[in-house]
């Protein structure tokens, strides 16, 4: 080796050695054909079952050149597995972006939202961070790699204080329809609004009311007055400022959804309250001409805001209620809330049974809570039968 060549080799060794040392400290690179992320960190809250719940969406993007099938997802808090979704659970909860059906198969380039609901054991501490382990079959990978296990989607649990409110209604036999945490109509209503995906209805509930015969309505289905909840008073859940009011929308004929509703009319006659600390409450589908407040008013807890109706995108009289992180009923994200005091008197079998009772006016099968459960600072879970003081 000539002196010139030897000197050049020594120079290269001097330049490259630190880089190689740095490479040794980095974890090895690996192809991750599924990309995992959680855009909205979950906020722990107390449910009417007395347990702590975490509700959020795990976004899964298939960055491979062919289909990928998600076969299992584990949710972990530290070293503890908090929940395991098998193939059937994934297929029921993974919703491709822009669609309302669910599947366990993601096409090349597709993103799906996996709707996750973790219920912690009684007395368990809330973990500081959640991570996810996904087992998937990647069609485009070489045979040894087609069955892959990937970890990711780490997210810090959001310890934002949950707003505690009063009841939005007064009386007995209210049913929390399509409420948190596994009903699909609200919890999965992800919408692209103003250039971003929002899920304002993540914790929404449609309050309906049963009569003494456990019917949602008695009489002609198309008649508003047949419905037990029609005309009931919608109440301010806290001392608050009225953020916005919409009035003048006509009542819809019960039994079918209207076909000519614009985005601005979807909530019908509605009120949004600013509860403070970044919490806003929406009351939707109120009777025309029944609203008793205007934007800018200060209201007190229990004050009547309007009467329950069937305006906007509604198939039957009910009070749609949810809490969100902004004043827009659509361009915001849903927040959990806890009602300070109510009684759970029973539970309905599920959404299918509720829909049947609402369609035909038949009695709804109820499993009584024996004895009734006095709930304190809790969110009424789906299909709970509730009495408010």
């Amino acid at each position: 080796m000539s002196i010139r060549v030897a000197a050049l080799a020594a120079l290269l060794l001097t330049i490259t050695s630190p880089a190689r040392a740095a490479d040794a400290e980095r974890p090895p690179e690996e192809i991750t054909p599924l990309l995992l992320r959680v855009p909205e960190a979950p906020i722990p809250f107390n449910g009417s079952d007395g347990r702590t719940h975490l509700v959020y969406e795990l976004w899964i993007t298939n960055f491979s050149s062919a289909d990928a099938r998600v076969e299992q997802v584990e949710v972990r808090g530290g070293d503890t597995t908090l929940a395991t979704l098998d193939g059937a659970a994934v297929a029921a909860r993974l919703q491709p972006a822009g669609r309302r059906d669910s599947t366990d198969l993601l096409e090349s380039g597709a993103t799906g939202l996996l709707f996750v609901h973790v219920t912690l054991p009684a007395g368990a501490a809330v973990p500081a961070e959640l991570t996810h382990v996904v087992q998937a079959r990647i069609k485009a990978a070489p045979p040894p790699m087609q069955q892959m296990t990937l970890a990711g989607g780490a997210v810090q649990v959001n310890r934002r204080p949950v707003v505690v409110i009063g009841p939005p209604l007064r009386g007995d036999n209210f049913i929390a329809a399509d409420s948190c945490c596994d009903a699909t109509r609200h919890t999965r209503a992800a919408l692209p609004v103003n250039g971003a995906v929002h899920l304002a209805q993540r914790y929404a509930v449609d309050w309906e009311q049963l009569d003494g015969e456990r019917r949602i309505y008695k009489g002609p289905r198309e008649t508003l007055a047949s419905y037990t909840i029609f005309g009931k008073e919608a109440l301010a859940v806290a001392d608050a400022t009225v953020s916005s009011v919409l009035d003048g929308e006509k009542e819809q004929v019960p039994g079918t959804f209207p076909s000519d509703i614009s985005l601005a009319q979807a909530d019908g006659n509605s009120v949004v309250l600013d509860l403070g600390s970044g919490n806003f409450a929406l009351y939707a589908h109120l009777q025309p001409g029944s609203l008793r407040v205007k934007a800018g008013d200060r209201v007190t807890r229990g004050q009547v805001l309007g009467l329950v109706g069937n305006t906007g995108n509604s198939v039957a009289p009910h009070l749609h209620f949810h809490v969100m992180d902004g004043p827009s009923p659509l361009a915001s994200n849903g927040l959990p809330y806890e009602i300070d005091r109510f009684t759970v008197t029973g539970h309905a079998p599920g959404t299918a049974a509720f829909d049947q009772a609402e369609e035909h006016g038949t009695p709804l099968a109820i499993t009584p809570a024996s004895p009734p459960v006095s709930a304190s600072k809790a969110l009424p879970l789906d299909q709970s039968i509730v009495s408010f003081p």
Side-chain angles (χ1 to χ4, degrees), residues 122-194:
V126 177
E129 182 182 64
L130 303 178
T131 57
H132 305 84
V133 178
V134 175
Q135 294 183 18
R137 188 171 294 277
I138 313 297
K139 186 176 180 180
M145 295 179 60
Q146 284 184 345
Q147 189 77 26
M148 296 188 69
T149 299
L150 304 101
V155 60
Q156 297 291 316
V157 173
N158 186 345
R159 302 313 296 259
R160 168 186 179 138
V162 176
V163 64
V164 178
I165 61 175
L169 295 157
R170 184 185 297 113
D172 302 324
N173 292 331
F174 291 106
I175 179 168
D178 293 308
S179 184
C180 189
C181 298
D182 299 308
T184 62
R185 290 169 183 152
H186 291 148
T187 308
R188 303 189 188 183
L191 297 173
V193 183
N194 296 346

